[in-house]
């Protein structure tokens, strides 16, 4: 029997003159303390429950986010999906969030946040004819400062979240304007108390929420419904709301949604009176930025692979008429987006969840590699490669839309006397032997490292010629190489001089010869710091991991390579049952020191910090965040970041700095000087808590547990000294190159129509960096228009020329500080280039009248 509810007139006159917008939802973690397969079933069960509540209670409204859940229901239960369609049309099933999942909101790259909305919002429009206007990430542990810009670019003007709570941040109030570094704003609302509730009376939920929110707002928004493992609003929840509304217990209580609340708030409150927050939203669960090293590295690798695959797929579709693999790429991106979920990427899920994550991300990388390999080969077959007896042609492909000069390591065969390397014109390029990955009796196999100078998003032809030494008459392909010398304590080229202490295995000097400034000389403090770590998987309650600890013991220092192109010094350390190998590599002419790390970690409930002490006075710390940077205090706090952290100050009154760029880690601190040590950058290399251990649960001293990060992991970092302005040394580009190296392929001799070097897209290598070159999501699936996205990277206005030799077109554009702009470039040169939003819909005209998404949905 359908209950009858009293009309609003029955509410006592003495009731508080405020409206409580009760938001019925079910925050469902598709994977956390359960595998994704369980989340797959629970999405269906939870959504059926919401439909049944709508049938029983005519005023009930359900708010849904995380588009992956809808996609799961669509493929397993068409009847339920049709019921959802009807309720959306009625306005009682409200779509919020607009993202594929609620991801961790600090660690994914900027393009990953774009794709969360690209696939999420387009799915909503194609299936339901709506898009979300409210961003919704109720459970993630922190939120990067560029999110307002991303949300606005995806059609969302407001944002609701829970963390950080009032005890974790200086953020006052409940509703405020959140402003990104580029000036974009969204109206934000910090959920008071909790995003879900027990299954019974909502009184406790309501009272706790009212106790935490800003009373000056008047009307407020309170979330209820059984969550985490799904469930949603219960009969007892709904009936208690009706009962308390009738009694006037807390004021007027209505079934509502975030969109309705934000619309009414703007209409009711003087928007100019609301405070403005110009920062990120931290700090909660600081340990999650270093829990489970594997998932961090897998996600970074997958992001890089997919961005490269998109670029080469776009190239191949134009140059060789290959079908653009829109569906394959979409599937791969969704595998990546799913595994950026806020209990997978932070390392807080159960151990078996990471077997699934590894497999799903591996599938995405395999798709990317197939796409890249196909396009590289169809280009290679058309490059003119003249026959030269005894030589081996090599094509090197640059995935970045700017010039890259780098070392290429290549395995080869059938050259028992070794090889030297020349360019297509026979000019000598610096090279030297290196250790082969194969250990066999085949004396014809070997490996070479050589310098490749590559055009933007393009390729260049080289040749391996027999013999380690070139004839004395061979000219250099460019200027003659500079000096490079090495010993077991010094690595030196024309730009840098690095000296290490053999007893510690770490730098006592890093001299920049261009400025005469040494950012390391005189600095004190250990490079390695092993500490006991009694904190839970999330690191709840942790402010800093810059704790006292022990340095690892240096076992051996070995000079592995000393040649004309690079020198490599190997430092081996140990602590307990663990070992750390760092190989310091200095290239000829390089202004950075590369360090390759192999860590075999066998400790439980311990952590390892890699510290980089500097001799800087009055240092300032800058962190890379998605699509931007942020200055943070030099106070030792554990902070999330993207690929690099910079510390800039003065040495002897001269401006100087040091940046640390890495390809796998996200947990950092920048610590001030104290009595024992100089200022330093700290990178949390590894933590080994128990899987899915959540404080305040205590571990049984006699219990049997599985600890994270046991075994071997490998990553790399760069040390980049500079003259006091990190903007001048291209850190964002260096990070991209470290995470996505150019690829070399052995080739055969054949005729062709392409020259020995070619370029397909170029951003000018200035302030504005192209982050995506891809096929448009609408229009012709076989030969779509191209989409080019770029961002200003230094925080200053810029003029950019984005070249697309691929289409013989150029985009000239002005960029504000940290501004993200996206352009659709038609293949037909008679059609204009159009600016689009992050959903790839025209900024002025909205989505196209008919899109491929609509066709697929029908």
């Amino acid at each position: 029997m359908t209950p009858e509810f009293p009309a609003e007139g029955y509410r006592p006159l003495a009731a508080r003159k405020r409206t409580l917008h009760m938001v019925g939802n079910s925050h469902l973690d598709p994977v956390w303390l359960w595998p994704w397969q369980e989340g797959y079933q629970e999405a269906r069960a939870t959504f059926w429950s919401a439909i049944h509540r709508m049938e029983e209670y005519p005023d009930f409204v359900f708010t849904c986010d995380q588009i992956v859940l809808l996609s799961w229901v669509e493929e397993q239960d068409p009847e339920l999906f049709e019921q959802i369609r009807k309720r959306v049309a009625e306005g009682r099933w409200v779509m919020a969030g607009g993202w594929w999942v609620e991801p961790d909101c600090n660690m994914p790259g900027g393009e990953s946040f774009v794709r969360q909305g690209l696939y999420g919002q387009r799915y909503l429009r194609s299936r339901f004819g709506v898009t979300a206007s409210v961003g919704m990430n109720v459970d993630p542990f922190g939120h990067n400062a560029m999110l307002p810009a991303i949300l606005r670019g995806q059609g969302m003007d407001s944002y609701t979240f829970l963390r950080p709570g009032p005890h974790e941040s200086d953020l006052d109030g409940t509703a405020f304007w959140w402003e990104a570094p580029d000036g974009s704003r969204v109206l934000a609302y910090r959920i008071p108390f909790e995003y879900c509730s027990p299954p019974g009376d909502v009184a406790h939920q309501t009272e706790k929420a009212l106790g935490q929110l800003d009373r000056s707002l008047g009307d407020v928004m309170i979330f209820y419904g059984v969550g985490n493992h799904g469930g949603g609003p219960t009969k007892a929840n709904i009936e208690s709301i009706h009962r308390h509304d009738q009694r006037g217990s807390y004021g007027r209580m209505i079934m509502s949604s975030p969109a309705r609340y934000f619309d009414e708030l703007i209409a009711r409150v003087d928007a100019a009176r609301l405070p403005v927050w110009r920062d990120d939203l931290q700090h909660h669960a600081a340990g999650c930025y270093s829990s489970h090293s594997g998932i961090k590295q897998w996600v970074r690798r997958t992001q890089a692979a997919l961005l490269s695959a998109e670029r080469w797929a776009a190239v191949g579709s134009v140059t060789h008429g290959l079908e653009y693999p829109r569906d394959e790429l979409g599937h791969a991106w969704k595998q990546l987006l799913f595994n950026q979920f806020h209990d997978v990427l932070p390392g807080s899920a159960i151990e078996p969840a990471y077997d699934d994550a590894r497999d799903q991300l591996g599938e995405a990388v395999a798709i990317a590699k197939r796409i890249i390999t196909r396009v590289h080969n169809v280009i290679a077959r058309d490059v003119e490669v003249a026959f030269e007896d005894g030589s081996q042609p090599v094509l090197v492909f640059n995935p970045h839309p700017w010039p890259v000069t780098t070392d290429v390591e290549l395995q080869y065969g059938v050259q028992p006397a070794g090889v030297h390397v020349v360019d297509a014109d026979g000019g000598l390029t610096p090279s030297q032997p290196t250790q082969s990955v194969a250990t066999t009796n085949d004396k014809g196999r070997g490996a070479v490292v050589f310098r490749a100078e590559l055009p933007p998003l393009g390729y260049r032809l080289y040749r391996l010629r027999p013999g380690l030494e070139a004839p004395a008459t061979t000219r250099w392909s460019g200027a003659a190489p500079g000096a490079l010398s090495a010993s077991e304590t010094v690595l030196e080229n024309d730009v840098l001089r690095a000296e290490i202490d053999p007893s510690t295995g770490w730098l006592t000097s890093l001299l920049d010869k261009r400025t005469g400034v040494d950012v390391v000389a005189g600095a004190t403090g250990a490079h390695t710091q092993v500490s006991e770590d009694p904190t839970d998987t999330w690191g709840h309650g942790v402010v800093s991991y810059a704790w006292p600890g022990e340095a690892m013991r240096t076992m051996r220092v070995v000079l592995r390579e000393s040649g004309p192109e690079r020198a490599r010094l190997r430092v081996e350390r140990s602590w307990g049952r663990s070992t750390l190998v760092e190989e310091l590599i200095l290239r000829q002419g390089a202004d950075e020191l590369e360090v390759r790390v192999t860590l075999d970690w066998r400790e439980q409930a311990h952590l390892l910090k890699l510290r980089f002490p500097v001799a800087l006075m009055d240092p300032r710390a800058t962190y890379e965040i998605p699509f931007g940077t942020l200055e943070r205090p030099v106070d030792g706090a554990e902070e999330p970041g993207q690929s690099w952290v910079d510390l800039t100050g003065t040495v002897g009154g001269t401006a100087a700095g040091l940046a640390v760029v890495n390809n796998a880690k996200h947990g950092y601190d920048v610590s001030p000087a104290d009595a024992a040590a100089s200022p330093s950058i700290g990178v949390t290399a590894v933590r080994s808590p128990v899987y899915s251990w959540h404080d305040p649960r205590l571990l049984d001293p006699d219990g049997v547990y599985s600890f994270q990060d046991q075994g071997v992991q490998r990553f790399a970092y760069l040390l980049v000294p500079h003259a006091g302005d990190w903007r001048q040394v291209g850190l964002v580009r260096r990070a991209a190159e470290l995470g996505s190296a150019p690829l070399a392929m052995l080739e055969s001799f054949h005729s062709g129509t392409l020259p020995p070097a070619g370029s397909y897209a170029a951003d000018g290598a200035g302030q504005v960096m192209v982050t995506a070159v891809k096929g448009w999501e609408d229009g012709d699936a076989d030969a779509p228009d191209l989409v080019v996205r770029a961002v200003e990277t230094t925080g200053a206005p810029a003029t950019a020329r984005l070249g697309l030799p691929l289409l013989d077109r150029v985009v000239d554009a002005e960029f504000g500080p940290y501004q993200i702009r996206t352009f659709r470039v038609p293949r037909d040169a008679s059609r204009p280039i159009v600016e689009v939003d992050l959903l790839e819909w025209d900024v002025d005209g909205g989505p196209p009248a008919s899109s491929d998404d609509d066709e697929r949905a029908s």
Side-chain angles (χ1 to χ4, degrees):
M1 179 177 178
T2 302
E4 295 294 333
F5 304 117
E8 289 193 8
Y10 288 107
R11 189 180 304 108
L13 291 176
R16 294 288 298 271
K17 299 301 185 287
R18 66 183 174 196
T19 298
L20 275 59
H21 291 251
M22 305 301 293
V23 177
N25 78 108
S26 173
H27 175 70
L28 172 56
D29 291 327
V31 53
W32 178 30
L33 306 180
W34 43 86
W36 72 265
Q37 293 89 341
E38 194 168 318
Y40 188 94
Q41 182 277 330
E42 184 56 40
R44 173 168 49 85
T46 294
F47 287 179
W48 266 123
S49 176
I51 292 295
H52 293 152
R53 298 296 83 76
M54 290 181 179
E55 294 168 352
E56 296 159 349
Y57 302 98
D59 63 337
F60 173 62
V61 176
F62 182 71
T63 293
C64 174
D65 77 333
Q66 300 201 111
I67 309 309
V68 70
L69 305 177
L70 291 162
S71 76
W72 284 352
V73 167
E74 181 183 22
E75 66 187 19
Q76 66 174 303
D77 195 334
E79 180 187 356
L80 171 57
F81 197 73
E82 189 57 36
Q83 288 293 322
I84 294 172
R85 280 185 196 267
K86 292 177 182 177
R87 298 304 185 179
V88 170
E90 290 177 3
R92 294 178 61 199
W93 187 294
V94 177
M95 300 300 186
W99 285 4
W100 199 246
V101 297
E102 287 191 18
D104 175 88
C105 289
N106 281 306
M107 291 182 281
E111 281 295 329
S112 286
F113 288 108
V114 170
R115 307 316 165 91
Q116 288 283 354
L118 179 75
Y119 291 110
Q121 291 280 55
R122 281 176 163 267
Y123 182 94
L124 290 180
R125 183 179 180 274
S126 66
R127 271 60 169 188
F128 304 103
V130 302
T131 53
S133 63
V134 178
M136 184 169 165
N137 283 305
V138 301
D139 201 17
F141 312 138
H143 310 259
N144 79 79
M146 280 297 287
L147 284 186
I150 295 166
L151 292 164
R152 292 306 297 243
Q154 296 170 340
M156 291 178 273
D157 57 15
S158 46
Y159 191 62
T160 185
F161 67 100
L162 177 69
R163 303 184 181 95
H167 60 294
E168 296 168 325
S169 169
D170 293 332
L171 174 66
D172 294 322
T174 302
F176 57 96
W177 291 109
W178 188 18
E179 184 174 304
D182 76 333
S184 301
R185 284 185 177 185
V186 292
L187 183 56
Y189 185 94
R190 178 164 63 186
I191 298 168
F193 183 56
E194 263 293 359
Y195 53 78
C196 59
S197 70
D201 196 317
V202 299
H204 178 76
Q205 183 83 357
T206 303
E207 291 163 6
K208 287 290 187 180
L210 290 173
Q212 288 188 8
L213 51 74
D214 179 359
R215 295 181 183 277
S216 68
L217 286 177
D219 297 352
V220 296
M221 178 164 52
I222 297 174
F223 285 62
Y224 74 96
V226 179
N228 291 334
H229 196 277
T234 65
K235 293 180 181 181
N237 287 160
I238 296 168
E239 290 176 3
S240 71
I241 292 171
H242 291 140
R243 185 168 59 252
H244 291 303
D245 178 52
Q246 178 185 5
R247 295 172 180 173
S249 306
Y250 309 107
R252 179 180 177 231
M253 302 177 77
I254 62 171
M255 303 291 182
S256 188
S257 68
R260 177 178 174 182
Y261 175 77
F262 280 115
D263 288 345
E264 294 187 9
L265 178 64
I266 284 293
R268 180 173 49 81
V269 173
D270 178 6
R273 184 174 61 83
L274 293 173
V276 179
W277 183 259
R278 296 181 177 91
D279 204 344
D280 55 5
L281 293 166
Q282 315 294 357
H283 296 90
H284 179 88
C288 69
Y289 303 116
S290 47
S291 292
H292 203 295
S293 298
I295 188 64
K296 273 70 167 174
Q297 193 162 39
W298 304 338
V299 163
R300 294 271 281 268
R301 176 177 178 236
T302 308
Q303 286 176 151
L306 290 179
L307 289 172
S308 180
E310 281 181 339
R311 293 167 186 175
W312 289 115
V315 169
S317 73
V318 174
T319 60
H320 289 79
L322 302 179
E323 180 181 353
Y324 185 78
R326 184 187 288 163
D327 291 340
E328 278 186 280
L329 285 167
H331 175 72
W333 269 109
K334 289 169 187 175
Q335 294 286 60
L336 171 61
L337 300 179
F338 180 77
N339 285 289
Q340 291 171 339
F341 178 69
H342 63 260
D343 276 313
V344 177
L345 180 52
S348 49
I350 56 174
E351 186 173 10
Y354 293 98
D355 293 335
D356 289 330
R358 179 200 60 221
D359 294 347
Q360 291 162 356
L361 293 169
E363 179 191 21
V365 171
I367 289 171
K369 285 185 173 182
R370 286 197 298 271
I371 292 169
I372 293 167
T373 300
R374 181 188 183 194
V375 176
H376 283 182
N377 275 270
V378 297
I379 292 173
R381 78 184 182 203
D382 284 348
V383 174
E384 174 76 25
V385 185
F387 176 76
E388 180 183 289
D389 190 29
S391 74
Q392 170 65 64
V394 176
L395 276 168
V396 185
F397 290 86
N398 175 18
H400 304 291
W402 58 85
V404 170
T405 298
T406 189
D407 279 353
V408 172
E409 296 181 22
L410 184 69
Q411 310 292 311
Y412 62 83
V414 201
Q415 293 287 1
V419 299
H420 61 277
V421 183
V422 298
D423 64 14
D425 296 324
L428 189 62
T429 190
S431 65
Q432 67 188 60
T434 191
Q435 184 172 337
S436 173
V437 296
T439 307
T440 70
N441 291 325
D442 183 354
K443 297 186 182 301
R445 290 209 63 80
V448 63
V449 56
F450 67 93
R451 183 189 309 171
E453 297 181 359
L454 306 173
L457 191 59
Y459 66 88
R460 186 178 297 280
L461 176 65
Y462 291 90
R463 294 177 187 270
L464 309 184
R465 285 180 173 170
L468 292 175
E469 300 292 335
T473 56
T474 306
R475 61 175 178 80
W476 288 100
S477 61
L484 178 63
S485 61
S487 70
E488 291 191 347
T489 58
V490 174
L491 302 176
E492 184 172 7
N493 64 15
D494 290 339
V495 182
L496 297 181
R497 183 181 189 276
E499 184 171 357
I500 73 163
D501 178 346
S503 66
T504 66
W506 191 241
L507 298 171
T508 59
S509 172
L510 185 59
L511 174 66
D512 187 338
K513 296 181 179 181
R514 297 165 299 185
T515 63
V517 174
D518 192 325
V519 294
V520 170
T524 57
H527 171 55
T528 57
Q529 180 180 329
V530 180
S531 307
E532 285 192 54
D533 177 14
T535 64
D536 71 6
T537 317
W538 287 257
H540 283 121
V542 171
V543 175
S544 173
Y545 282 114
W547 296 337
E550 298 180 22
M552 301 184 84
R553 184 161 60 98
T554 302
M555 307 298 294
R556 189 169 69 134
V557 179
V558 179
L559 183 63
R560 282 196 63 196
E561 292 183 14
S562 181
E565 174 55 12
R566 76 179 186 190
R568 177 154 64 163
L569 192 63
R570 178 183 176 91
V571 180
E572 300 175 357
R573 298 182 179 87
S574 68
W575 192 93
R577 298 188 302 133
S578 302
T579 60
L580 173 70
V581 174
E582 291 188 301
E583 295 201 325
L584 286 64
I585 298 174
L586 184 64
R587 289 188 296 109
Q588 186 272 119
D591 63 352
E592 65 189 24
L593 184 66
E594 179 183 356
V595 183
R596 298 181 185 176
V597 182
T598 301
L599 173 62
D600 188 354
W601 189 249
R602 303 290 171 176
E603 314 307 321
Q604 298 178 349
H606 281 70
L607 66 83
L608 169 65
K609 278 273 189 184
L610 296 181
R611 303 214 69 85
F612 303 92
V614 293
L616 296 171
M617 298 295 293
D618 302 318
R620 303 182 313 279
T622 304
Y623 293 70
E624 184 191 23
I625 64 172
F627 285 140
T629 66
L630 202 63
E631 283 199 18
R632 291 179 174 141
V634 179
D635 61 4
E638 188 77 359
E639 300 279 7
Q642 289 281 296
S643 299
W644 59 265
V645 177
D646 178 76
L647 198 55
T648 293
T650 60
V651 176
T654 301
L658 178 70
V660 180
V661 183
N662 84 91
N663 67 349
K665 304 298 175 183
H666 289 282
Y668 307 99
D669 73 84
V670 179
S671 294
D674 59 26
S678 300
S680 63
I681 297 170
V683 178
T684 308
V686 65
R687 291 180 64 232
S688 48
V690 170
Y691 275 93
S692 298
W693 169 38
H694 196 306
D695 211 18
R697 166 72 187 276
L698 297 178
L699 298 177
D700 181 350
D702 299 321
V704 177
Y705 301 103
S706 183
F707 291 80
Q708 290 190 353
D709 279 357
Q710 302 297 293
V712 175
Q713 56 173 286
R714 294 178 175 86
F715 59 96
Y717 62 85
L718 308 176
L719 299 181
V720 186
H722 57 80
D725 188 350
W726 58 263
R727 297 166 182 83
Q728 301 303 314
V729 289
L731 297 177
V732 181
R733 296 180 192 274
R734 291 180 197 252
E737 293 168 23
L738 185 64
S740 184
L743 294 176
M745 61 177 285
L746 301 178
E747 187 48 45
S748 56
F749 305 112
H750 47 69
S751 61
T753 58
L754 294 179
S759 174
Y760 301 107
D763 63 14
Q767 290 174 236
V768 174
M769 187 176 93
V770 165
T771 60
V773 178
K774 62 184 293 293
W776 186 33
E777 294 296 318
D778 292 312
D780 187 342
D782 294 336
D785 292 349
L786 299 192
V787 167
V788 178
R789 183 160 32 259
V791 62
E792 198 287 317
T793 61
T794 70
T799 299
R801 166 160 283 204
L802 312 178
L804 276 178
L806 182 64
L807 296 175
D808 195 24
R809 305 199 73 170
V810 172
V811 179
D812 289 308
E814 301 291 327
F815 283 75
Y818 297 118
Q819 185 179 8
I820 308 162
R821 298 188 69 180
T822 309
F823 303 92
R824 175 166 59 84
V825 185
R827 296 177 182 231
D828 182 350
S830 67
R831 294 168 55 206
I833 295 170
V834 178
E835 184 164 10
V836 295
D837 62 18
L838 297 182
L839 305 180
E840 300 179 13
W841 293 334
D842 290 2
V843 169
D844 297 326
S850 176
S851 72
D852 199 53
D853 275 338
D854 297 322
E855 293 166 11
R856 286 198 295 270
S858 63

